[in-house]
Amino acid sequence: MKKKSFNIKNIAKISGFGVSTVSRVINNHPDVSDKTREKILKVIKEYNYIPNNSARNLKKTETNNIGLLVKGIYNPFFSEIVQIIENRINEAGYSMIIHYKYSDINDIGSAIQFIKEKRLKGLIYLGGDFNHEDDEQLKYIDTPIVITSPNIIEEVYRKTFSSIVIENEESAYDAVNYLIELGHKDIGVIAAEIKGNSIGELRLNGYKRALKENDIEILEDYIKVGDFTFESGFREMNKLLDDRRDISAVFSVSDIMAIGAAKAILKRGLKIPEDISIIGFDGIEYSHYFHPSISTIEQPKEQFAHKSIDILIDLIDKKIEHQHIVLDTKLLKRKSCKHI
């Protein structure tokens, strides 16, 4: 079969699936099983097929637009980064198009669709999760992508995008170890999204490692799971207090949930930090102005923003190859933790 005559019908025939199914895979529709998608992508790779309506379109970038794709709209941590990025994009002479993604389904598919629809010059993705299943799709994209503050699994073919991350497990370990240094042993945790190598799981792993290395027993009823909202922090803290009234400290894997948890503690007539110490994660502005101000692990928001746009523009100008940067976090000791 000559390469010039190779088309979507050939892919369908070789893979054993219908033309419509192959088309849905090429266009990154979510309504295709992982097994089917894998088989079709394998054929596409084997025959070096370049889909007319996906990869080729991505190469014909004619706009001056840089896209900003944000996973979730409710996290003020991202809103502070967005403002800096927008200013930098404008200063560099580009236009910014922002899109918020609410679903947890198919992060890479959302990125590709956004690039294709808006014919983007480059893309910054705040908060997406990419894994090894995305390798084949990423290889078809010439548009530069910078993924900021996500969890990126090491097996991903990382020559196809740039990333700026933190060490989630190590930073969570530092937070819990600080509580232990203050004399706390009965330490609860409000976790989130406990699934294969997610940010929530990595931060929970840091909690567990700190307890283990200090010979403190890990108890399942000390572990509650929220969903990165004020409401879930409030709800799970109440469950924690109902199950374990002996706790002296709580680690929340986000400041948003830490504020919700603090509200639950205060509503029960307990005092922070006199009765219960609490520490969060992210370093959002709200945590500073809460009373008492909440101790937290501060992520370097300004560095995330500036490095994201610096790398993206250099990639657009073909000055550099893809970069992968790990930034340091900082423990902010405030009024919500005390020595016992």
Side-chain angles (χ1 to χ4, degrees):
M1 188 178 298
K2 294 181 180 180
K3 185 176 179 182
K4 66 178 181 179
S5 65
F6 203 73
N7 56 40
I8 191 171
K9 292 181 180 179
N10 302 130
I11 294 293
K13 184 177 180 180
I14 295 169
S15 65
F17 297 97
V19 171
S20 61
T21 302
V22 175
S23 177
R24 289 200 298 275
V25 170
I26 290 173
N27 288 285
N28 298 290
H29 286 278
D31 58 339
V32 180
S33 71
D34 292 340
K35 188 175 181 180
T36 297
R37 189 183 302 276
E38 182 181 351
K39 288 182 178 178
I40 292 172
L41 288 173
K42 184 177 180 181
V43 174
I44 288 173
K45 179 182 180 183
E46 182 178 352
Y47 287 86
N48 196 29
Y49 174 61
I50 306 297
N52 287 333
N53 61 340
S54 60
R56 283 179 181 168
N57 284 343
L58 290 176
K59 292 180 180 179
K60 297 177 182 178
T61 303
E62 298 173 354
T63 72
N64 204 38
N65 296 328
I66 288 178
L68 183 59
L69 184 57
V70 184
K71 189 175 181 180
I73 192 173
Y74 302 109
N75 192 341
F77 171 72
F78 285 150
S79 66
E80 295 175 36
I81 295 176
V82 168
Q83 185 175 3
I84 298 173
I85 288 176
E86 182 175 16
N87 292 337
R88 287 290 313 280
I89 287 175
N90 291 335
E91 289 171 1
Y94 295 94
S95 298
M96 186 178 86
I97 300 177
I98 188 167
H99 177 71
Y100 290 96
K101 178 177 181 292
Y102 303 95
S103 171
D104 286 334
I105 299 173
N106 199 0
D107 282 3
I108 184 60
S110 297
I112 292 174
Q113 192 68 21
F114 188 31
I115 291 170
K116 185 166 62 175
E117 288 180 356
K118 303 301 182 181
R119 305 180 71 81
L120 300 175
K121 199 93 168 178
L123 174 69
I124 296 174
Y125 197 162
L126 295 182
D129 284 329
F130 286 12
N131 57 49
H132 66 279
E133 295 175 357
D134 299 318
D135 286 359
E136 296 305 318
Q137 298 179 77
L138 285 168
K139 290 177 184 178
Y140 288 118
I141 303 175
D142 283 343
T143 305
I145 298 177
V146 178
I147 311 170
T148 302
S149 186
N151 170 42
I152 298 175
I153 298 174
E154 288 301 320
E155 293 85 32
V156 178
Y157 184 75
R158 302 204 303 171
K159 292 183 179 180
T160 55
F161 63 91
S162 292
S163 66
I164 305 170
V165 301
I166 62 165
E167 293 284 1
N168 283 286
E169 181 176 330
E170 192 65 29
S171 298
Y173 172 89
D174 290 342
V176 179
N177 202 54
Y178 169 60
L179 293 174
I180 294 170
E181 289 173 352
L182 292 176
H184 297 279
K185 293 184 178 180
D186 297 305
I187 304 170
V189 60
I190 301 178
E193 290 186 355
I194 304 175
K195 58 183 181 181
N197 285 313
S198 66
I199 289 173
E201 182 171 18
L202 290 171
R203 293 178 187 178
L204 178 61
N205 289 344
Y207 162 84
K208 291 180 176 179
R209 181 160 66 87
L211 296 186
K212 184 176 180 180
E213 290 186 6
N214 286 277
D215 297 319
I216 299 173
E217 184 180 3
I218 299 170
L219 301 173
E220 287 303 314
D221 53 0
Y222 273 49
I223 302 172
K224 304 300 177 185
V225 182
D227 57 11
F228 293 112
T229 62
F230 292 115
E231 181 182 6
S232 69
F234 181 84
R235 180 185 67 238
E236 300 307 321
M237 187 69 229
N238 276 315
K239 290 180 182 178
L240 190 55
L241 290 170
D242 288 340
D243 293 345
R244 301 298 306 212
R245 296 190 63 87
D246 56 344
I247 64 170
S248 64
V250 178
F251 166 54
S252 169
V253 302
S254 80
D255 284 345
I256 290 291
M257 292 196 298
I259 291 169
K263 179 72 173 179
I265 293 169
L266 297 174
K267 192 171 182 179
R268 293 210 178 196
L270 300 172
K271 294 181 179 181
I272 302 172
E274 289 83 357
D275 297 312
I276 298 178
S277 293
I278 186 166
I279 189 169
F281 199 116
D282 283 335
I284 64 172
E285 193 174 15
Y286 294 168
S287 64
H288 174 66
Y289 288 101
F290 191 86
H291 183 71
S293 57
I294 295 177
S295 299
T296 186
I297 296 293
E298 181 183 44
Q299 296 199 59
K301 295 181 286 295
E302 291 190 4
Q303 283 185 277
F304 272 131
H306 288 298
K307 287 187 178 297
S308 294
I309 193 62
D310 286 343
I311 289 174
L312 185 64
I313 290 175
D314 282 346
L315 287 169
I316 290 171
D317 293 339
K318 301 186 183 305
K319 292 181 178 179
I320 60 171
E321 300 294 326
H322 281 293
Q323 308 287 304
H324 298 280
I325 297 173
V326 180
L327 299 178
D328 293 329
T329 58
K330 182 179 180 181
L331 172 62
L332 299 182
K333 301 176 183 180
R334 294 174 173 161
K335 302 294 185 182
S336 65
C337 297
K338 78 161 194 172
H339 192 279
I340 62 172

